[in-house]
Amino acid sequence: MFIALSTFTIANDMAPAVKEAFVNRPGLVEGAPGFIRLQVISPTDNPQEIWLITHWQDEESYKTWHHSHMYHDSHSGIPKGLKLVPRSAKVRFFEHICE
């Protein structure tokens, strides 16, 4: 299993709108080959931070999704006016060891 963790920090007062957009997202990733599951979480000590954890069968499935038009379409619901803390957007990759 391959895991991608994307994080970013919201610079303005739009955290509630961003979280609502994730709740109502079109769910395009669910149809991507190799997709297993997505979690969107926010640390309680900094509700301006958003973490997206996606689980994939393998790295190639993630890369195919990331370079697809559906990936770009999935971002169409981002609320207008969103500003991020500069250099806060990061993506890290993980190998699943066990549960």
Side-chain angles (χ1 to χ4, degrees):
M1 186 185 316
F2 179 78
I3 299 167
L5 169 64
S6 303
T7 61
F8 60 89
T9 304
I10 300 165
N12 54 6
D13 61 353
M14 297 194 66
V18 171
K19 292 174 184 177
E20 186 66 25
F22 277 113
V23 169
N24 295 313
R25 65 189 176 78
L28 297 176
V29 71
E30 279 81 349
F35 173 80
I36 297 173
R37 72 175 182 262
L38 164 68
Q39 293 176 294
V40 182
I41 60 176
S42 180
T44 56
D45 63 349
N46 185 2
Q48 296 294 103
E49 259 184 68
I50 304 291
W51 296 19
L52 290 84
I53 307 167
T54 52
H55 297 250
W56 298 88
Q57 289 178 349
D58 51 51
E59 185 175 358
E60 189 61 32
S61 296
Y62 168 80
K63 286 181 176 178
T64 300
W65 159 253
H66 191 260
H67 292 96
S68 73
H69 71 85
M70 287 192 335
Y71 171 82
H72 298 285
D73 292 350
S74 71
H75 291 77
S76 64
I78 294 173
K80 304 291 184 236
L82 173 65
K83 294 185 187 320
L84 300 182
V85 171
R87 292 182 293 284
S88 70
K90 297 180 176 130
V91 179
R92 296 183 69 195
F93 304 110
F94 299 86
E95 167 189 15
H96 182 259
I97 306 299
C98 69
E99 291 190 32

